[in-house]
Amino acid sequence: MSILDNLVERARKSKLMKKIYLKVFSPYVDLHVRELSLTFDLQPAKYEAKRLNLLVPSISREHVFGGIATAIDYFNRIAEAGGFQKRIIIINAEPGDEEIRQYFPGYRVAVCGEESPAEQQILPCRQGRLSIPVGREDLFFATAWWTAYCAQKMAAWQAAYYQNDLQPILYLIQDYEPGFYPWSSEYLLAESTYKYAGPQIALFNTKLLKTFFNRQGYCFTHEFYFEPGINAQLLQYKKVLDLTRKKKQILIYGRPSTPRNAFPLIVESLKVWSKLQPDAAEWKLLSVGEKHRDLDVGNGVTLKSLGKLSLADYARLLAESRVGLSLMVSPHPSYPPLEMAEYGLHVVTNSFQAKDLSSYYANIISLKKFMPDDIAAALEQATRKEPLSGGIKVKDADSGGGEEGLIAGIVRSLTSQKAGNKDS
């Protein structure tokens, strides 16, 4: 234990230090929920067009990856299939003009509270004020949990003002978001968005996630799911890199700032592995995903951080690595272990309730117990396996009836006023 760690540990156990902390910091404790700090200013709209409203935290370039990119993709496809006008309502980060011109050509940026007949609009929330004209035919497409909170408030105002039934809300669910927080106000608020009393259509990112929600007893008016698959560009790179020789290299998905990726557990497991593995010093350990300091894990082995990489550089590392380690404390499978497996790495990952990724690839070791000794033993086992040039697929991900059928089903559910039986 370092001197700094020792001081921190002693401070934590000191009653005097606790009293000083409470005295100094208690006046500054945050007593509000940041995600709910919006002021709503809803007005009736002059135009009565059918419009689909996507609510997202941000569309800025640094945020448009993964979940938000998926939301925008489905928003465009659903709007086009349903003949809806499009409006993107940005709840948090305001985008720059250049970003909008580059990534959203044909969109008009509306001023808060301004009514516009434009068929494609972007409406940013400014200074914590959500000033939005809402029409009788507006439909809301929620993404992160606090955007669902906003959508539910808007749908309630819309029904009350126009004296109509509640319009259905489409909710893109890409993870179990209460799990992003400790048991807390945010946990309860995030979970409450799944218990909305009005008509709500759930669109799940993977059947595994849908199964988790079903087993937890959550119930929606209609339910759909999609399987995102491996990034198309990574598959293209794989064809080019197919003959790359595998090295004694372990590729680790390391994101210290994201608790659900269990980075401290990964580090502790590597410390055990470095003692367990007879030839540990011959292996190179590389961490990708988020930049952190290089870490000594013992026996002359260093975990070197490369941070976030371009797809081309990531593909090259996938092609040359023999073993992968990626943890995700969540019912969502996450992409890195599947990408690693597709490139032929022997992958160590964790199961989580219904999630067992070894049912997709035979070269995935899906652990059910996660002590450092368990993970280290699985890594040692993976290093002894013969190198692979590609993944050993057990089965293809169930597509849920195909993309065309999925989009058509969502459009039908949005445009029908009947809150019928739950779809599967």
Side-chain angles (χ1 to χ4, degrees), residues 129-155:
R129 183 165 166 262
L130 207 56
S131 184
I132 299 176
V134 176
R136 187 189 301 271
E137 299 294 323
D138 272 311
L139 294 166
F140 301 103
F141 183 176
T143 52
W145 73 261
W146 58 95
T147 73
Y149 167 83
C150 293
Q152 291 163 7
K153 298 273 277 188
M154 288 190 233

Side-chain angles (χ1 to χ4, degrees), residues 5 25 47 73 84 126 154-155 184 197 213 258 263 291 304 338 344 350 380 396 409:
D5 288 338
F25 290 104
Y47 302 98
D73 178 44
F84 302 121
R126 288 191 167 94
M154 288 190 233
S184 59
F213 271 76
T258 306
F263 186 69
K291 189 68 178 170
K304 183 175 176 57
L338 298 175
N350 62 290
E380 195 271 336
D396 286 317

Side-chain angles (χ1 to χ4, degrees), residues 251-253 318 324-326 336-345 347:
L251 191 59
I252 289 140
Y253 189 56
L318 287 169
L325 173 58
S326 179
L338 298 175
E339 292 162 353
M340 291 174 180
E342 177 66 27
Y343 268 73
L345 283 73
V347 183

